Amino acid sequence: MPETDSPKLFGRSALSGAARVAGVIGWPIAHSLSPRLHGFWLDRHRVDGVYVPLAVKPGMLGRALIGLSALGFAGANVTIPHKEDACALVDEVSDLALRIGAVNTIVVRSDGRLFGTNTDAFGFIANLEAGCPGWRADAGPAVLLGAGGAARAIAVALIEAAAPALVIVNRDQGRAERLAAKLGPAGVRVEPWAKRAEVAGEAALLVNATSLGMAGKPPLDIDLAALPGEAVVTDIVYAPLVTPLLAAAGARGNRTVDGLGMLLHQARPAFQAWFGIDPEVSPELRRHVEQGLRPS
Ligand code: NDP
């Protein structure tokens, strides 16, 4: 078997005293795929480093972040429920994370200060570019279903990538309006949830950023009859990989991109910042992380 198909899990048994340490802070954290994802790259690149799950209860983030610096961590990812609180608790926040209102990646500087940024926007765009070669955000209007935390990062990503129009549609319309107001520029509009099928008719890109369609949740109920044939459809839900939305869009001939790639690509800038290597989102990595999705 070629070396690229079977990374040896030698890393954890060969760590030196100088190993770099990173991890993911969240609560609960046991379901996180990030240790599996970063662990693959650490093994593949034979890095003297480790990436661990860090179960940090609500209310404990401030103490955990002081610990990161005190313990000499290279940095950490931050996930639910701490992403928003992290903005106020790090020493420096990137402009992008400020716009999104959430930090998902922390880098510990050499002087121990914590720099917080957000790589979800990068992950969203990179996934579409990789999954749909030739796709460009500026090619046409985007219709975004959802106005929660993930939708905020995606809205900022699409605006930064020069989408000419962004229509936000959310069950709680007030939440969508607050998001649109924060985004600011002309070209962002909110429509009622009841009009989602009609609004899809305007989309060059249709994004599901709600949790609908996730295993254990109801499917996203949307009639795609009006969706243009050339529209690209992406769902950020990745469990299951092929959501009912992606299945319906694929069946009528639309190009589709699943949500797992967003998770894989958002990890790249963080890995590079902590371990000094820009890793590849390869088919082998995808297969390895997909195995972590399957109930054993
Ligand atoms: P939030 O809880 O912040 O937002 C949930 C969104 O789903 C809101 O827009 C909410 O609408 C909507 N929603 C929930 N239930 C319903 C329903 N019954 N009918 C209509 N709308 C509903 O979650 P996140 O934004 O953090 O995450 C959303 C999804 O994205 C999750 O499934 C998560 O796993 C996935 N995700 C994937 C990532 C990736 O890398 N691929 C990254 C981050 C998240 P309302 O405001 O009306 O409640």
Side-chain angles (χ1 to χ4, degrees):
M1 183 179 283
E3 188 260 339
T4 49
D5 281 343
S6 175
K8 298 215 172 13
L9 294 175
F10 80 98
R12 277 163 287 196
S13 61
L15 288 176
S16 80
R20 293 181 70 73
V21 184
V24 55
I25 294 174
W27 185 270
I29 201 63
H31 66 284
S32 175
L33 292 170
S34 292
R36 195 175 177 89
L37 161 53
H38 285 276
F40 179 95
W41 283 331
L42 288 167
D43 290 336
R44 169 59 42 87
H45 294 285
R46 289 161 167 66
V47 174
D48 186 15
V50 66
Y51 182 103
V52 292
L54 298 164
V56 174
K57 289 184 180 162
M60 298 293 278
L61 182 65
R63 290 165 77 172
L65 294 187
I66 291 168
L68 267 192
S69 174
L71 290 167
F73 271 58
N77 283 128
V78 183
T79 187
I80 293 171
H82 299 304
K83 282 187 182 188
E84 286 81 11
D85 291 345
C87 265
L89 291 169
V90 292
D91 299 301
E92 193 189 334
V93 189
S94 72
D95 289 345
L96 185 66
L98 266 185
R99 281 200 78 193
I100 294 170
V103 159
N104 81 332
T105 301
I106 294 175
V107 178
V108 182
R109 305 263 204 224
S110 52
D111 62 1
R113 287 168 60 80
L114 304 180
F115 172 70
T117 188
N118 192 305
T119 64
D120 285 333
F122 170 85
F124 176 76
I125 298 287
N127 183 37
L128 279 169
E129 287 173 346
C132 201
W135 175 81
R136 293 174 56 106
D138 60 4
V143 173
L144 175 61
L145 305 174
R152 249 185 2 242
I154 291 167
V156 170
L158 288 168
I159 290 169
E160 300 262 316
L166 175 63
V167 189
I168 306 174
V169 187
N170 193 51
R171 175 181 60 176
D172 175 349
Q173 195 173 331
R175 196 177 185 189
E177 276 158 7
R178 286 192 295 280
L179 171 58
K182 210 176 159 213
L183 293 168
V188 181
R189 166 175 128 239
V190 171
E191 291 287 353
W193 184 243
K195 287 180 76 176
R196 59 194 180 281
E198 188 184 320
V199 173
E202 298 176 33
L205 174 70
L206 177 66
V207 185
N208 177 39
T210 73
S211 46
L212 294 171
M214 200 167 124
K217 299 258 182 175
L220 170 64
D221 176 17
I222 183 168
D223 181 351
L224 297 181
L227 184 72
E230 63 279 5
V232 172
V233 179
T234 188
D235 199 326
I236 67 161
V237 168
Y238 53 78
L241 271 180
V242 181
T243 60
L245 171 68
L246 294 184
R252 67 193 293 284
N254 289 92
R255 289 185 296 169
T256 61
V257 181
D258 71 46
L260 185 61
M262 176 176 169
L263 179 80
L264 304 181
H265 282 280
Q266 63 76 33
R268 276 175 48 210
F271 189 90
Q272 178 160 35
W274 303 324
F275 301 114
I277 292 164
D278 180 13
E280 189 194 354
V281 173
S282 62
E284 293 78 23
L285 171 73
R286 238 189 107 90
R287 279 200 293 277
H288 180 74
V289 175
E290 272 178 39
Q291 280 162 13
L293 280 174
R294 297 192 189 117
S296 50

